[in-house]
Amino acid sequence: PGPNVTAGTVVRYQCDHTFKGTPTATCGYDSAYIIQGRCRKECRPPPIVPHASVHVNNALVSSGWYAGIAARYSCDPGFEGSVTALCGEDGNYTVEGHCKVASSVETDKLYRNIHGLTATIGVENGVLLAGLGWFFWQRWRVSVRTLPASASATGNELVAGLSSPLSPRCAADAEQPGTSAQAAQES
């Protein structure tokens, strides 16, 4: 101890305005000071991290945010990951980690997109088939209207230029194989 300081004397320090802490120095019996505490740089509250919420230990931060304090985050629902923000000696935070879309959410989005695509394709196919059906029905209607009244065809010929054997029509006076016209020739 010096001439004005005796063993056991406690000296308290006041930190500069941008620092926090209550450092003390206690004079020991060996004339050496025992230092406890220190002045730490003040920090702003932890930064906002996308898709995450900060968890605060109120007892720890009751005296404020300062260098060396770490803030832990939990990811929002539908996200996963780990995030920590550490206040550095310069008063700025370093953020480590991130929250990303949870794999279960990605799978659900993919499932919904596939089912939406399937429904869209089904509707498009239905519209296409309806359009083709209407087109061929119109073509058939026009060809039936344009037949002359005396037109005749056998069962093997197509009427009015229709190229589809799906709907050939026979004229009313056409002879069909195996009908009474053949029977008349045999008798």
Side-chain angles (χ1 to χ4, degrees):
N4 296 330
V5 180
T6 59
T9 301
V10 177
V11 179
R12 297 184 198 289
Y13 294 89
Q14 183 175 350
C15 298
D16 290 340
H17 73 281
T18 60
F19 289 81
K20 278 269 192 210
T22 54
T24 61
T26 305
C27 182
Y29 291 102
D30 59 356
S31 297
Y33 283 97
I34 302 167
I35 300 173
Q36 293 179 322
R38 65 182 180 133
C39 292
R40 294 183 183 181
K41 181 73 174 169
E42 281 187 302
C43 299
R44 301 175 311 280
I48 294 173
V49 174
H51 313 295
S53 302
V54 67
H55 289 279
V56 178
N57 180 342
N58 290 330
L60 183 64
V61 297
S62 62
S63 60
W65 295 94
Y66 53 88
I69 286 187
R72 302 207 189 296
Y73 295 78
S74 63
C75 296
D76 294 340
F79 294 86
E80 60 190 10
S82 174
V83 182
T84 303
L86 176 65
C87 180
E89 294 297 322
D90 61 355
N92 293 316
Y93 284 92
T94 303
V95 178
E96 293 184 10
H98 65 280
C99 292
K100 63 180 183 171
V101 176
S103 57
S104 61
V105 172
E106 284 294 327
T107 303
D108 186 49
K109 281 183 183 177
L110 180 61
Y111 178 79
R112 282 184 287 166
N113 286 343
I114 289 172
H115 280 274
L117 182 60
T118 302
T120 301
I121 290 172
V123 168
E124 288 174 353
N125 285 343
V127 168
L128 179 64
L129 288 173
L132 285 173
W134 182 84
F135 172 77
F136 284 114
W137 177 75
Q138 287 292 327
R139 188 170 173 194
W140 174 79
R141 272 188 35 199
V142 169
S143 67
V144 169
R145 282 190 207 157
T146 59
L147 278 177
S150 63
S152 66
T154 65
N156 295 331
E157 294 179 19
L158 299 178
V159 177
L162 283 178
S163 60
S164 172
L166 296 178
S167 60
R169 305 220 6 121
C170 297
D173 59 348
E175 294 179 12
Q176 297 292 324
T179 61
S180 60
Q182 278 184 337
Q185 289 177 356
E186 291 176 3
S187 48

